Amino acid sequence: MAIKIGSIGYNYVHENNFVMDLPQGPGAYLFLLIKSSAFIKINNKKFNVVKNTYIILSPATPGLYKADKDRYIDDWFYFSLEPEDKEKLIKMGIKFDEPQYIHSVDALSDEIHHISFELFSSSLHHSELQQSYTDIFFYKLSRLINSAESISPQMFASKNEKLVYVRSRLYNSPNYFNNVDEMADFMNLSRSGFQHLYSKTFGINIIQDVIKGRIKIAKELLQSTNLTISEIAQKCGYKTEYHFMRQFKEQTSFTPTEFRNSNTWIQLEESR
């Protein structure tokens, strides 16, 4: 693909009064990877989106995005592409001018970081690497979209809005719900009805997703804080430290302490 990146920003943080108003459109394609709750208006359609939402604004599409209540955080880049490349992206399932929720954006954010580094680098092959990372980014985006992990704007309505809220809590505050019954009560559904709807919507059963959310947060806390293993277990929704340690080992092949003491998880995995 011949997608050309213009300006780019990685992990930008804005205060709660941040507003970006583009009444004539952005002038080029604009990709936003939104890492906080936000308010978006596209062609006068209004959306209240949750963390881990992406959107691609077309050059002439009027748009506005701003902080919801707290700080606004995003990755972003402007880009150009040929008509045949846009057609290819659409065939890959990538939508334009409407927000899409993806439960995990870490892999996409990493690629934006790589693109940003190479864009401003003067090292050998920086242009080739930047183009390669750009292509990889859109292929990864397509894979996430087509793995039933993205959600259209229609999900942000009625019961589906509450369902998205539940999943957002699992991946950001895994100790918010104590069990599946509490989630079902929140949804005003029976336990079996909730489990069926969750699996049908997200392509994964609720128990597996609870574990994924807990392990994701546990990894982040082990790498970025000095909290004890017991404290991390509690924050991730585990009733006992033993249960946390056993499940972390089952899911990652490493103990929490091994994971924390390694420079990176990849280095530890390669050493085995």
Side-chain angles (χ1 to χ4, degrees):
M1 292 184 286
I3 297 173
K4 302 300 181 185
I5 303 294
S7 53
I8 190 170
Y10 169 73
N11 210 36
Y12 271 47
V13 180
H14 302 273
E15 295 305 317
N16 58 10
N17 60 351
F18 169 79
V19 179
M20 178 63 74
D21 191 5
L22 304 166
Q24 306 302 318
Y29 289 99
L30 172 59
F31 182 92
L32 299 173
L33 190 61
I34 300 171
K35 300 178 175 180
S36 61
S37 59
F39 171 83
I40 298 176
K41 184 167 69 173
I42 307 164
N43 280 325
N44 290 321
K45 292 182 179 180
K46 299 177 181 179
F47 304 91
N48 289 296
V49 302
V50 296
K51 175 182 177 181
N52 294 357
T53 295
Y54 88 86
I55 183 170
I56 302 176
L57 282 177
S58 298
T61 299
L64 177 148
Y65 54 100
K66 66 177 183 177
D68 183 10
K69 297 177 182 178
D70 299 319
R71 296 182 302 171
Y72 174 84
I73 307 171
D74 69 2
D75 299 341
W76 56 270
F77 58 83
Y78 288 88
F79 66 101
S80 63
L81 75 168
E82 298 299 323
E84 57 269 26
D85 285 326
K86 182 175 182 179
E87 183 178 346
K88 180 175 181 178
L89 293 180
I90 292 172
K91 287 181 178 178
M92 289 164 59
I94 296 172
K95 298 181 182 297
F96 290 75
D97 299 321
E98 63 178 79
Q100 297 284 310
Y101 171 84
I102 300 177
H103 85 80
S104 178
V105 300
D106 293 345
L108 297 179
S109 191
D110 286 344
E111 295 305 330
I112 291 175
H113 193 192
H114 293 320
I115 294 167
S116 177
F117 177 84
E118 298 300 339
L119 186 66
F120 299 113
S121 173
S122 58
S123 300
L124 184 65
H125 303 311
H126 69 94
S127 295
E128 292 85 351
L129 285 168
Q130 184 237 298
Q131 187 61 60
S132 295
Y133 285 131
T134 301
D135 291 346
I136 290 169
F137 172 85
F138 282 103
Y139 284 120
K140 284 189 175 181
L141 176 60
S142 175
R143 183 167 63 183
L144 285 170
I145 290 169
N146 289 288
S147 63
E149 295 179 340
S150 69
I151 301 173
S152 68
Q154 287 72 29
M155 283 292 183
F156 295 92
S158 185
K159 194 174 292 295
N160 286 329
E161 181 179 1
K162 297 177 74 174
L163 199 61
V164 170
Y165 177 81
V166 169
R167 199 179 203 205
S168 176
R169 282 293 189 180
L170 295 185
Y171 279 84
N172 295 288
S173 305
N175 61 343
Y176 186 81
F177 293 105
N178 288 318
N179 50 51
V180 174
D181 290 329
E182 283 192 8
M183 300 178 209
D185 288 342
F186 175 78
M187 293 290 300
N188 295 318
L189 292 169
S190 67
R191 179 186 175 97
S192 61
F194 168 67
Q195 290 176 311
H196 175 74
L197 179 62
Y198 195 96
S199 178
K200 181 178 179 181
T201 302
F202 299 117
I204 185 173
N205 75 56
I206 182 62
I207 300 302
Q208 290 174 332
D209 226 14
V210 166
I211 294 171
K212 284 180 67 176
R214 287 178 172 183
I215 298 302
K216 171 183 174 292
I217 296 298
K219 287 179 178 180
E220 293 175 0
L221 294 174
L222 286 166
Q223 290 178 328
S224 63
T225 74
N226 292 319
L227 294 174
T228 65
I229 301 300
S230 179
E231 289 170 331
I232 290 174
Q234 184 178 15
K235 285 183 176 294
C236 292
Y238 292 94
K239 293 183 179 180
T240 68
E241 182 178 344
Y242 171 77
H243 184 199
F244 166 59
M245 294 175 67
R246 180 174 60 81
Q247 195 161 82
F248 192 92
K249 175 80 171 180
E250 289 174 351
Q251 296 297 312
T252 69
S253 299
F254 313 117
T255 69
T257 301
E258 285 176 328
F259 185 90
R260 166 172 271 169
N261 291 339
S262 65
N263 291 326
T264 67
W265 178 72
I266 294 175
Q267 289 177 351
L268 179 55
E269 187 177 47
E270 289 178 344
S271 70
R272 294 208 164 193

